[in-house]
Amino acid sequence: MTADDGALRQQMGELIASQRAIQEDLRRIEDKLQRSDDKSDASRAKMHSRIDEVVGTVGEVQTTVAGLEKDVKDMKPVTDEVRRWKLLGMGALGMMGVGGIALGVSFADALKRIGTLLTGR
């Protein structure tokens, strides 16, 4: 074995060790990429789940709003009728008030005349 053989073996050993270090680095990089992909997959699955929940909730809200719209449409004629009753009632109450005042004035005038006749003045 010559000195060149020893130097050559040393260089080959360094190359082999360097190659193994590179392979280990590549393995670590692949592991990190795999973990990153796994996290991304989990995050996307969670996001899809949340979106599905939101879609379900929006569907429920739409159903509720449609029901409320129907209820409001059903209540509107009743509300309009009650308003009409109120207006008619206020008109009737006003007429009764005017009639009552007229009756009261007439009654007071009649009492005054009766009093005048009785007292002779």
Side-chain angles (χ1 to χ4, degrees), residues 55-66:
V55 167
T57 303
V58 167
E60 291 172 9
V61 168
Q62 286 176 336
T63 302
T64 303
V65 167

Side-chain angles (χ1 to χ4, degrees), residues 8-25:
L8 189 58
R9 287 177 189 251
Q10 182 180 358
Q11 287 175 351
M12 279 182 51
E14 289 173 3
L15 277 173
I16 291 172
S18 173
Q19 181 189 12
R20 286 184 182 154
I22 290 171
Q23 286 176 341
E24 185 61 33
D25 288 344

Side-chain angles (χ1 to χ4, degrees), residues 4-111:
D4 288 336
D5 286 343
L8 189 58
R9 287 177 189 251
Q10 182 180 358
Q11 287 175 351
M12 279 182 51
E14 289 173 3
L15 277 173
I16 291 172
S18 173
Q19 181 189 12
R20 286 184 182 154
I22 290 171
Q23 286 176 341
E24 185 61 33
D25 288 344
L26 283 175
R27 239 188 315 270
R28 278 194 301 254
I29 290 170
E30 286 173 349
D31 288 345
K32 281 184 181 180
L33 284 174
Q34 186 60 47
R35 284 193 304 269
S36 176
D37 285 347
D38 292 345
K39 285 181 183 179
S40 295
D41 290 344
S43 177
R44 278 191 295 278
K46 193 181 232 183
M47 186 63 69
H48 285 292
S49 172
R50 287 180 183 166
I51 289 172
D52 290 343
E53 288 176 18
V54 169
V55 167
T57 303
V58 167
E60 291 172 9
V61 168
Q62 286 176 336
T63 302
T64 303
V65 167
L68 288 174
E69 285 177 349
K70 183 184 177 298
D71 290 347
V72 168
K73 283 180 185 175
D74 292 345
M75 284 188 271
K76 182 150 178 40
V78 174
T79 305
D80 291 342
E81 185 70 17
V82 169
R83 278 192 192 129
R84 192 175 68 76
W85 291 346
K86 185 177 176 184
L87 290 173
L88 289 175
M90 290 300 223
L93 187 61
M95 290 304 291
M96 287 174 56
V98 169
I101 290 171
L103 184 63
V105 167
S106 298
F107 185 68
D109 188 46
L111 286 178

